[in-house]
Amino acid sequence: MSLDNNNMKKQLKTLEKLLQDHDWFYQYSDDNSVYEQGRFEWFMITKVMKSLDNSGFSEQSSALYEKYLPEPLKY
């Protein structure tokens, strides 16, 4: 397995952890610190997803996103 492929697998694991821990409803918080933490988490999620997408792992990153996206947010 190539070093690049190992890096992508690590990024997929990182993405999964970020998605698992993300407060998907942070926008509704009255607590600014909760809101800011949620925004930072979302920034990190999108950053990792873009990196994976650019490396040809968009199917895998999208599947993880769909797996952890709460039902009320799906359309």
Side-chain angles (χ1 to χ4, degrees), residues 20-67:
Q20 286 173 342
D21 295 343
H22 183 55
D23 177 1
W24 291 92
F25 300 97
Y26 73 92
Q27 311 92 310
Y28 301 110
S29 178
D30 292 332
D31 184 338
N32 190 54
S33 65
V34 172
Y35 178 80
E36 290 300 324
Q37 179 64 32
R39 275 187 42 176
F40 177 74
E41 290 170 358
W42 182 248
F43 169 78
M44 294 305 296
I45 288 168
T46 57
K47 183 177 176 180
V48 173
M49 286 186 75
K50 284 179 187 176
S51 174
L52 286 163
D53 292 351
N54 291 337
S55 299
F57 286 79
S58 60
E59 245 180 73
Q60 294 90 331
S61 68
S62 293
L64 282 174
Y65 179 82
E66 285 298 317
K67 178 180 176 181

